[in-house]
Amino acid sequence: MEDKKLTKKDLNSMFFRSWFLLGSFNFERMQSIGFCVTLIPAIKRLYSKKEDQREALKRHLEFFNTQPFISAPIMGVTAAMEEQKANGQPIDDATISGVKVGLMGPLAGVGDPIYWGTLRPVLAALGASIALTGSIVGPLLFFLLFNVCRLATKWYGLKYGYEKGTEIVSDMSGNRLRKLTESASILGLFVMGALVSKWTSINVPLVVSKYTGTDGKEVITTVQMILDQLMPGLLPLLLTFLCMKLLKKKVNAIALIFALFAVGIIGYALGVLA
Amino acid sequence: MSTFEIVMVAIVAAICGMGSVLDEGQTHRPLIACTLIGLVLGDVKTGIILGGTLELMALGWMNVGASMAPDAALASIVSTILVIVGHQSIGAGIAVAIPIAAAGQVLTIFVRTITVFFQHLADKYAESSNFKGIELCHFIALLLQGLRVALPAVLVAVAAETGLVTDLLNAIPDVVTRGLQIAGGFIVVVGYAMVINMMSAKYLMPFFFLGFVVAAFTGINLVGFGIVGAVLAVLYIQLNPKYNTKNVAVGEIDEL
């Protein structure tokens, strides 16, 4: 009997289906249907008996949740394991579920800081800073760069996962992922520091002193001028730390935004902010 | 607004609504959603500027694990409609965006609870190995997420034209709109704080301060910062002793 094997077409189909992983996200089993739908081409190829198909579908309707781009290697590994199982290898349901669950946590831990913590804020800030001038280049740049990274991650991740099969589990324990996560954090924090300083504006126009200089011109010193001499961007920095502290104390982000809106309105009304 | 425009608003809103649950193509981000609505309504430039402003505010809004971000898609689309069709200022657009994002978040929670129903339907289809049935469950749930944004967007678009919403917004005093605009300049820090907290590694904070100081005293642009940051990351990894355990020299020094 010839070995059952996924075709290139199956993998392509899985790749496209994986774009919709979160489509039916629900609070009970989260990405479960999306994962199952992605695996359907593989299940169809590998199992011809209705009974086997049913078991496979049920297997992949279990709870699943991870960062969506990083899900691709997990899908690849799972497909590889299903392939081995279909060819008579002694792999039981628990092993497949165990690998899925075992990978989704750690990989989300890598994917979240890289994609949501670094790549998106950095590209979005870049795009937004250009967009503020009214140029279409801003949104286009963000959209294209982000999606190129996303598609590359998903395509190579799926192929890598499938080719590596179960090997990937031991590969994860190495230093490589930690290095990647740490590099992303460094880049992200560095750019964040720059953003706090440059793309935030607080202006305190309160006048500290006012006198007529020797040349007859009036010299005005405001609070903001003194602050800028000390350290440009000092107020945004302090405000950022305050927000970090409050968020850690589980203060709702929306509540914080409303509070800052109130600060803006009251500050303007009192003439402290402009 | 012509019927064609309303239909286009509905389509774009549905795409962005689906995008906000998928989190793949980023069509739900203000930068994209506002631009698309601007395009549909014939004022791309306003859409782009509003999108850029809102994007900076929403920088830290992300779906991590089971937690959910405020609804950027609904906020972006409704505020762009109000600014362009309702002839409001960008400041007023920002002002309405935040409460709408909060309301949208509630709607999202609602839809994500409804879709539990499809989860159980899918279980039933699995029993009879009905592939089509499971796929249908998945994509109908996705469609609901699209409608979640499309329906409110169309309602606002129609109301904005009658002047109903505009009158309401015009009644807001100047102190409020101007104050909101000022707040818009520093409200971004909430987003920054969320991102920094997520990285939450105290020993890496020097890199944050380095970025801050370099930005304060130089004129390097964001692309430059990206490159310098990447170089720093590579150097850190290369020089860090914890990644160089094979290095014999470290062991020798310890023994001395």
Side-chain angles (χ1 to χ4, degrees), chain A residues 237-256:
Chain A
L237 183 69
L238 296 177
L239 198 60
T240 306
F241 286 144
L242 181 69
C243 288
M244 284 168 63
K245 249 210 155 82
L246 290 172
L247 285 170
K248 271 189 189 150
K249 286 195 173 151
K250 303 278 174 222
V251 174
N252 186 293
I254 288 274
L256 212 53

Side-chain angles (χ1 to χ4, degrees), chain B residues 7 47 51 58-59 61 68 71 81 98 113 127 156 172-173 185 188 199 222-223 234 243 246:
Chain B
V7 171
L59 219 53
W61 296 4
M68 258 177 4
D71 191 356
I81 292 172
I98 299 303
T113 312
E127 286 296 338
V156 170
I172 303 173
V188 237
M199 316 257 206
L222 263 180
V223 178
V234 171
Y243 296 122
K246 277 180 211 138

Side-chain angles (χ1 to χ4, degrees), chain B residues 54-72:
Chain B
L54 291 177
E55 184 65 54
L56 283 174
M57 287 169 54
L59 219 53
W61 296 4
M62 48 188 143
N63 300 310
V64 171
S67 75
M68 258 177 4
D71 191 356

Side-chain angles (χ1 to χ4, degrees), chain A residues 22-54:
Chain A
L22 279 144
S24 55
F25 185 98
N26 63 77
F27 288 126
E28 190 186 302
R29 268 173 272 164
M30 305 204 169
Q31 304 166 346
S32 105
I33 310 180
F35 194 92
C36 187
V37 166
T38 308
L39 261 287
I40 280 179
I43 296 172
K44 274 186 182 161
R45 172 77 58 200
L46 300 171
Y47 301 106
S48 46
K49 274 193 275 178
K50 271 233 176 272
E51 214 175 270
D52 294 335
Q53 290 178 352
R54 185 180 69 205

Side-chain angles (χ1 to χ4, degrees), chain A residues 175-231:
Chain A
N175 263 336
R176 259 161 79 192
L177 277 183
R178 226 175 89 201
K179 280 186 192 173
L180 196 65
T181 317
E182 211 158 51
S183 306
S185 296
I186 290 171
L187 172 61
L189 286 171
F190 184 72
V191 174
M192 251 347 112
L195 287 175
V196 168
S197 164
K198 280 215 160 151
W199 276 269
T200 326
S201 65
I202 302 181
N203 182 18
V204 185
L206 271 189
V207 176
V208 179
S209 71
K210 201 166 162 185
Y211 61 91
T212 310
T214 43
D215 53 354
K217 274 187 196 153
E218 204 171 50
V219 179
I220 298 174
T221 311
T222 66
V223 174
Q224 191 59 48
M225 290 161 99
I226 298 171
L227 287 173
D228 281 344
Q229 266 170 5
L230 273 173
M231 178 91 225

Side-chain angles (χ1 to χ4, degrees), chain A residues 17-30 32-34 36-37 40 43-44 50 53-54 57-58 61 65 68-69 112-113 116-118 120-129 131-136 138-139 142-143 146-147 150 154 175 178-179 182-202 230-234 236-237 239-241 243-245 247-248 253-254 256-258 260-261 263-265 268-269 273-274, chain B residues 21-29 31-32 35 44-45 48-49 52-53 55-57 59 61-66 68 70 94 98-99 102 105 109 112-113 115-116 118-120 122-123 126-132 134-135 137-139 141-142 145 174-176 178-180 182-190 192-199 203-205 207-213 215-220 222-223 225-226 228-230 232-233 236-237 240 242-243:
Chain A
R17 281 162 184 256
S18 77
W19 294 12
F20 300 95
L21 173 69
L22 279 144
S24 55
F25 185 98
N26 63 77
F27 288 126
E28 190 186 302
R29 268 173 272 164
M30 305 204 169
S32 105
I33 310 180
C36 187
V37 166
I40 280 179
I43 296 172
K44 274 186 182 161
K50 271 233 176 272
Q53 290 178 352
R54 185 180 69 205
L57 287 175
K58 278 162 78 176
L61 278 175
N65 195 34
F69 310 161
D112 285 338
W116 301 153
T118 309
R120 189 168 71 189
V122 169
L123 290 182
L126 177 67
S129 63
L132 289 179
T133 66
S135 165
I136 188 90
F142 166 67
F143 187 75
F146 190 87
N147 278 292
R150 166 181 82 96
K154 291 208 112 162
N175 263 336
R178 226 175 89 201
K179 280 186 192 173
E182 211 158 51
S183 306
S185 296
I186 290 171
L187 172 61
L189 286 171
F190 184 72
V191 174
M192 251 347 112
L195 287 175
V196 168
S197 164
K198 280 215 160 151
W199 276 269
T200 326
S201 65
I202 302 181
L230 273 173
M231 178 91 225
L234 191 61
L237 183 69
L239 198 60
T240 306
F241 286 144
C243 288
M244 284 168 63
K245 249 210 155 82
L247 285 170
K248 271 189 189 150
I254 288 274
L256 212 53
I257 289 175
F258 274 123
L260 287 184
F261 270 140
V263 169
I265 293 169
Y268 174 66
L273 293 172
Chain B
V21 69
L22 292 176
D23 226 342
E24 295 262 341
Q26 308 305 313
T27 49
H28 66 297
R29 298 298 296 185
L31 202 49
I32 308 295
T35 304
V44 200
K45 195 165 176 185
I48 295 170
I49 295 173
T53 316
E55 184 65 54
L56 283 174
M57 287 169 54
L59 219 53
W61 296 4
M62 48 188 143
N63 300 310
V64 171
M68 258 177 4
I94 297 166
I98 299 303
Q105 193 174 20
I109 293 173
R112 287 174 186 207
T113 312
T115 45
V116 172
F118 291 103
Q119 181 73 58
H120 292 274
D123 286 346
E127 286 296 338
S128 53
S129 53
N130 181 349
F131 293 108
K132 277 274 164 308
I134 295 176
E135 284 162 2
C137 283
H138 188 54
F139 288 103
L142 181 61
Q145 294 284 5
D174 179 57
V175 161
V176 177
R178 183 77 195 112
L180 289 173
I182 289 168
F186 57 78
I187 215 121
V188 237
V189 297
V190 180
Y192 300 153
M194 288 165 92
V195 175
I196 297 166
N197 271 352
M198 205 190 89
M199 316 257 206
Y203 65 97
L204 292 179
M205 278 311 272
F207 290 101
F208 171 79
F209 290 109
L210 193 61
F212 178 81
V213 173
F217 295 108
T218 66
I220 305 178
L222 263 180
V223 178
F225 274 100
V228 176
L232 285 174
Y236 179 82
I237 299 296
N240 197 319
K242 78 179 166 199
Y243 296 122

Side-chain angles (χ1 to χ4, degrees), chain B residues 15 75 117 137 180 210 252 255:
Chain B
I15 291 172
F117 164 78
C137 283
L180 289 173
L210 193 61
E252 280 170 355
E255 275 160 32

